[in-house]
Amino acid sequence: MQRPSSTDGFHPIKSKNSEEQPTRERSFFDRPVSYDDASPSSLEIGGTDDASEAWSDMQVRHSQEAGGASLIEHGLNFMRSTQFFVIAAVVIFLLIVALLTTTSQGVVAPIRGEAYLTTNEFAGIRIAKPNEAVLITGGLGFIGSHVVDLLLHRGFSVTILDDESNGHNHNRFAKELVPHDITVVGDLPEIGNGNSFTHVIHLAAAISVAESMNDPDKYERINYGGSEKVFNWIRNYNQHVSQSEDDAATFIHKVTAASSAAVYGDPDPTLLPLRETAPYGGKSPYADTKFRMEGLMREFVAKQNEASGGPKASAVALRFFNVFGPRQDPKNPYSGVISLFLEAALHDKDITVLGDGEMTRDFVYVKDVARAIVMSLLQESTDNEATFDNFNVCTGKSITINTLADQVRQKMNSSSDVKHLAPRDGDIRESTCNSEKAAKGLQFTSTVTQEEGLEKTAM
């Protein structure tokens, strides 16, 4: 860019006595500015001799300018004033806060931890109150690790209990009880001795429909037996706190546990999209143990209400549909279909579809699921009694597996072929979800579409 000259229409400012006073050039942000520069003897500083008088009350004027100071001199006076420094300090502070809390990608810095989240990813979730602490079983796993990130982001103290069978997503900002097994009573947190919790999220489980067909005993031991031990531990914990003289001890107010859409089985088409009132129709030991876990939760609540006095913890079971997203292990043969498809497409290997590919699924993004879990956990009951309820967690939209395979190939620009094999025992033909109850009861609706989630997962 060419600098302006006097011939370009940029003229030096002349004062009344410019004929006697020579002008000289000074720079201001690399642009030459000409103005009258009187000698130091021609400047007067007006004001009192009182040293305590504020600098802002002092006036600087040109002794030969009867009309007052020039615009530049006014600017210099303001920059010397206390008001200027206060305003500058405020502006700098606000800029620092903005830089610390929001990045150029529109994500917000955490209160704890190191996960930056978008406002949609923690929408509807309040900041933790003092001393709120969450115990999360299965917190190293695919879903659990995202829940841990979200809880820390909102300022909660988090303790993870996990046997590392389904994930190794450690978080240095959470306390870890690892490897600890929910089926072993001694592995659950010691009651008392400084351990204090206000909420529990129970995600630890054996998670494969296919594996459960071959090893039903494992699913009975973990999903049913382990869950029973967790709920009994919560009841014993609250009983201990009610009898404790430790003022720092806190009651557990709520437990949220992971159930599954597998409890619906292959429903009559007239029941689609599926509501929570649909009858049980599970086709696998996995589905059976998840449904019976919900029964344990009902019993857990009923026993508390039968007891006189004492703290009472409410319970919520969330029926997850097909969860997908980052940290889902594609090397696990029982992993979700999207992670398996993406891994195959990445290496231009065959994408394997079990059956004709016309099965329908409702795919819900993992960070939406994490938000649903925390929203259900923090929902406070106005009833003096403990309560139980269940909710679908889904998008309300389904696609076929064939459509998904095509989306993955296009997204990854892959030359993979789609290969169809025989259907797997226990698989469901149609899975379409009604999400209205969660929207009304939890104020939860998914914010990420299946296509958007696929984009985020493939990055």
Side-chain angles (χ1 to χ4, degrees):
M1 179 176 178
Q2 185 177 4
R3 294 187 177 186
S5 66
S6 59
T7 58
D8 295 324
F10 185 86
H11 302 282
I13 301 171
K14 296 184 178 180
S15 67
K16 294 178 181 178
N17 59 349
S18 59
E19 293 180 359
E20 295 89 6
Q21 300 284 348
T23 60
R24 65 177 178 181
E25 298 292 327
R26 293 189 179 181
S27 64
F28 183 71
F29 292 109
D30 295 327
R31 292 182 61 181
V33 178
S34 298
Y35 63 96
D36 293 337
D37 188 22
S39 64
S41 62
S42 66
L43 292 176
E44 293 181 359
I45 299 179
T48 70
D49 294 333
D50 187 355
S52 64
E53 182 179 6
W55 177 259
S56 60
D57 292 334
M58 302 178 73
Q59 297 179 346
V60 178
R61 68 177 183 270
H62 197 294
S63 61
Q64 299 180 15
E65 287 286 346
S70 69
L71 180 62
I72 292 176
E73 288 170 336
H74 279 303
L76 293 173
N77 287 340
F78 177 69
M79 290 177 68
R80 295 187 185 101
S81 70
T82 303
Q83 183 182 11
F84 169 79
F85 289 108
V86 171
I87 294 173
V90 170
V91 171
I92 292 171
F93 173 77
L94 292 175
L95 287 172
I96 291 173
V97 170
L99 289 172
L100 289 175
T101 57
T102 307
T103 71
S104 59
Q105 287 77 33
V107 292
V108 180
I111 297 172
R112 294 186 178 187
E114 52 193 5
Y116 284 69
L117 302 178
T118 68
T119 54
N120 280 342
E121 290 168 349
F122 62 86
I125 299 174
R126 61 172 173 80
I127 292 174
K129 299 175 183 177
N131 301 321
E132 282 191 307
V134 181
L135 171 67
I136 174 169
T137 71
L140 298 185
F142 162 50
I143 297 175
S145 62
H146 286 281
V147 177
V148 170
D149 282 346
L150 179 54
L151 288 169
L152 290 171
H153 188 278
R154 308 313 290 151
F156 289 86
S157 173
V158 178
T159 299
I160 298 169
L161 189 148
D162 201 300
D163 66 358
E164 296 188 281
S165 61
N166 289 319
H168 306 278
N169 299 294
H170 296 275
N171 194 312
R172 63 191 178 92
F173 295 94
K175 179 181 178 181
E176 292 188 356
L177 302 176
V178 177
H180 281 218
D181 187 340
I182 61 169
T183 67
V184 178
V185 173
D187 277 1
L188 297 175
E190 182 180 355
I191 295 176
N193 197 28
N195 288 321
S196 187
F197 303 100
T198 55
H199 302 81
V200 173
I201 297 173
H202 176 42
L203 303 180
I207 57 175
S208 169
V209 168
E211 184 189 43
S212 75
M213 302 296 285
N214 298 320
D215 192 358
D217 290 344
K218 174 181 177 180
Y219 285 72
E220 182 70 19
R221 176 175 59 85
I222 298 174
N223 293 2
Y224 184 80
S227 296
E228 185 175 35
K229 289 178 174 64
V230 170
F231 301 138
N232 287 341
W233 177 87
I234 295 172
R235 189 164 53 246
N236 292 337
Y237 171 94
N238 276 350
Q239 287 176 353
H240 171 81
V241 172
S242 66
Q243 300 166 3
S244 174
E245 296 181 357
D246 183 3
D247 293 336
T250 57
F251 295 115
I252 292 173
H253 303 293
K254 191 77 165 286
V255 54
T256 291
S259 186
S260 171
V263 302
Y264 297 121
D266 257 332
D268 187 298
T270 61
L271 295 175
L272 300 175
L274 290 162
R275 296 179 180 272
E276 291 81 352
T277 53
Y280 174 73
K283 299 173 63 178
S284 66
Y286 170 75
D288 176 68
T289 55
K290 282 296 185 180
F291 186 71
R292 288 165 54 222
M293 181 204 70
E294 291 189 23
L296 289 172
M297 299 177 78
R298 294 178 189 274
E299 183 180 341
F300 164 77
V301 165
K303 285 183 177 180
Q304 292 179 89
N305 289 334
E306 290 169 2
S308 59
K312 297 175 181 179
S314 293
V316 172
L318 299 181
R319 295 174 174 177
F320 302 151
F321 278 64
N322 291 76
V323 187
F324 75 103
R327 303 179 197 164
Q328 197 168 31
D329 184 7
K331 295 179 173 58
N332 185 335
Y334 302 123
S335 185
V337 65
I338 287 183
S339 65
L340 297 175
F341 282 10
L342 286 171
E343 181 73 5
L346 178 65
H347 300 288
D348 292 322
K349 295 181 179 180
D350 288 345
I351 294 176
T352 302
V353 174
L354 302 179
D356 62 7
E358 290 305 301
M359 305 81 73
T360 60
R361 295 290 184 269
D362 186 319
F363 292 100
V364 57
Y365 190 59
V366 66
K367 290 191 177 183
D368 273 338
V369 173
R371 191 165 56 85
I373 291 170
V374 178
M375 291 178 76
S376 71
L377 189 73
L378 300 182
Q379 187 182 50
E380 298 180 1
S381 175
T382 57
D383 199 331
N384 291 327
E385 299 282 283
T387 61
F388 169 78
D389 211 343
N390 50 32
F391 297 90
N392 291 336
V393 177
C394 59
T395 67
K397 298 179 180 180
S398 295
I399 64 169
T400 67
I401 300 301
N402 284 335
T403 300
L404 174 65
D406 288 340
Q407 286 180 350
V408 169
R409 292 173 64 199
Q410 293 174 14
K411 183 67 61 181
M412 302 297 289
N413 193 25
S414 173
S415 60
S416 295
D417 292 325
V418 176
K419 183 179 180 180
H420 292 268
L421 300 178
R424 185 170 55 189
D425 289 342
D427 273 353
I428 295 165
R429 184 71 183 174
E430 290 189 72
S431 180
T432 306
C433 172
N434 186 306
S435 59
E436 291 179 359
K437 185 179 178 183
K440 293 178 181 178
L442 301 178
Q443 287 72 56
F444 167 77
T445 54
S446 62
T447 60
V448 180
T449 67
Q450 178 266 323
E451 294 89 342
E452 291 169 342
L454 183 60
E455 178 78 29
K456 292 173 182 288
T457 306
M459 289 174 61

